Amino acid sequence: MNLIKFNNFFFRYKGNEDYALNNINLKIGDNKFILLCGETGSGKTTLIRCMNGLIPQFYSGFYKGKVEINGKDTTETSIANLSTEVGIVFQNPENQLIAMNVEHEIAFGLENLGIPPNEISRRIKESASLTEIEHILDKAPFELSGGEQQRVAIASILVLEPKLLILDEPTALLDPYMAKKIINLLTEIKIEKKITILISEHRLDLILPFTEQMILMKGGYVIEHDIREKILNGDNFKNLNLNKPVIYAIFNKLRIDGIFHGKIPASIPDAINSLKQLKLGE
Ligand SMILES: Nc1ncnc2c1ncn2[C@@H]1O[C@H](COP(=O)(O)OP(=O)(O)OP(=O)(O)O)[C@@H](O)[C@H]1O
Ligand SMILES: [Mg+2]
């Protein structure tokens, strides 16, 4: 089943001459962990804004083609309605947190949807437990650390029980330790809730071990969408100006030097297995 379907979609922001998105044809299925990857300015955030109706309903501009979320046309369905299908967490959670305390913050979206109180408290408990924020439910959002704010932002989306959770550089403002915790948390959410997680993330070292599919963007085009193994071993990824993972850089060099001939691994355990097969020093 396709949760999201882009059909020959183009978008140009008002006042810009160039299209930020060009002829996008993309299908996103259920229960997948997908990494959105591309150089700065390639259109990742713009693509994400199309996935809950913010484009074209909130950002003015010119569009052609069609985007469907779970069969609903994003030009004809309200953003509130689409928010029960797709939840988006943006880079800076501070801008997203508005309530007096964390519990109210999480309940906010549900109250707006008219969900009964006992169902609201069940969902708050579940999402607070999944994101490990039970101990800060009565704190004000501004009293929280960056990592805690990001977890609250994720919890306030999870309570809406979307089929797709999208995160736009969720770890950009966090230190490496917190970034790792957030990414581990996302993998647990994926396993527990069986939803699709789509994440735009520059910390490829951290995210690639969990990634199933990758979407590569360049200059407003989706240039490749495939399983991780295919993308990592293809030329498109190699040619993009990205901060490549250390494991990738090592195995790519070993390949160039004619020492390694296998598939480039994406995680430390896979890399160790690949190294064991190499007969170094002979
Ligand atoms: N609100 C906006 N108004 C006008 N132009 C915009 C707006 N947001 C983005 N753009 C332009 O659209 C293009 C794509 O930007 P976008 O933010 O989608 O890239 P990105 O891949 O998310 O980059 P980054 O990795 O830096 O976050 C850029 O040329 C950018 O200047
Ligand atoms: Mg961006």
Side-chain angles (χ1 to χ4, degrees):
M1 193 194 59
N2 292 317
L3 290 177
I4 296 199
K5 203 165 139 193
F6 283 76
N7 222 330
N8 300 330
F9 192 79
F10 294 72
F11 181 76
R12 176 162 63 81
Y13 288 100
K14 195 176 172 188
N16 288 6
E17 273 189 21
D18 294 331
Y19 277 84
L21 295 178
N22 292 284
N23 200 23
I24 307 291
N25 285 292
L26 189 64
K27 287 176 182 164
I28 308 248
D30 57 356
N31 199 13
K32 301 280 180 315
F33 199 105
I34 306 171
L35 172 63
L36 177 59
C37 205
E39 294 161 10
T40 179
S42 58
K44 302 180 297 295
T45 298
T46 305
L47 189 79
I48 286 174
R49 287 175 182 150
C50 298
M51 295 185 182
N52 71 342
L54 281 177
I55 288 178
Q57 297 189 38
F58 183 81
Y59 289 89
S60 41
F62 176 75
Y63 71 91
K64 277 189 287 189
K66 198 169 177 176
V67 182
E68 283 177 351
I69 316 273
N70 219 3
K72 299 173 182 174
D73 188 321
T74 56
T75 58
E76 290 165 2
T77 317
S78 72
I79 291 176
N81 183 333
L82 293 171
S83 74
T84 59
E85 311 281 350
V86 178
I88 303 188
V89 176
F90 288 98
Q91 189 181 102
N92 188 351
E94 236 175 322
N95 301 339
Q96 249 171 309
L97 306 177
I98 42 176
M100 296 274 290
N101 69 32
V102 170
E103 186 164 356
H104 283 127
E105 183 63 52
I106 302 174
F108 181 75
L110 292 177
E111 284 162 1
N112 281 353
L113 289 172
I115 310 259
N118 54 350
E119 173 65 6
I120 290 185
S121 55
R122 185 196 66 78
R123 289 204 201 177
I124 289 175
K125 268 209 192 102
E126 188 198 47
S127 56
S129 150
L130 262 175
T131 51
E132 296 170 14
I133 54 165
E134 292 117 317
H135 58 294
I136 50 169
L137 282 176
D138 57 354
K139 284 203 174 182
F142 65 82
E143 293 176 300
L144 306 177
S145 73
E148 286 170 341
Q149 285 181 351
Q150 200 56 275
R151 297 214 298 271
V152 171
I154 294 170
S156 60
I157 300 281
L158 281 182
V159 281
L160 300 171
E161 302 194 332
K163 297 166 194 76
L164 180 69
L165 173 62
I166 301 176
L167 304 104
D168 192 3
E169 296 191 42
T171 72
L173 305 175
L174 306 178
D175 65 44
Y177 176 76
M178 258 307 151
K180 196 164 183 205
K181 273 203 82 165
I182 293 287
I183 288 171
N184 286 343
L185 180 74
L186 293 173
T187 63
E188 282 162 24
I189 290 170
K190 156 82 174 34
I191 292 166
E192 185 81 16
K193 303 290 285 178
K194 297 187 175 54
I195 58 177
T196 290
I197 294 190
L198 187 144
I199 178 166
S200 165
E201 177 59 62
H202 287 289
R203 296 180 198 245
L204 300 182
D205 277 302
L206 287 181
I207 196 81
L208 269 176
F210 307 107
T211 300
E212 292 168 319
Q213 297 182 1
M214 294 170 75
I215 297 170
L216 294 188
M217 290 196 75
K218 190 181 167 84
Y221 289 86
V222 168
I223 55 169
E224 206 173 345
H225 174 204
D226 214 320
I227 56 168
R228 178 185 68 188
E229 189 181 67
K230 276 251 179 76
I231 301 262
L232 283 190
N233 289 282
D235 285 341
N236 284 327
F237 183 73
K238 190 161 66 187
N239 295 335
L240 283 182
N241 290 315
L242 298 169
N243 191 11
K244 303 277 168 47
V246 176
I247 294 175
Y248 179 89
I250 292 171
F251 279 84
N252 193 39
K253 181 75 171 74
L254 288 173
R255 220 152 67 156
I256 292 166
D257 292 350
I259 298 169
F260 178 71
H261 306 284
K263 295 256 185 330
I264 294 181
S267 67
I268 291 176
D270 289 350
I272 290 170
N273 279 336
S274 300
L275 285 174
K276 280 180 184 159
Q277 286 156 25
L278 279 183
K279 297 196 174 73
L280 292 172
E282 281 183 11

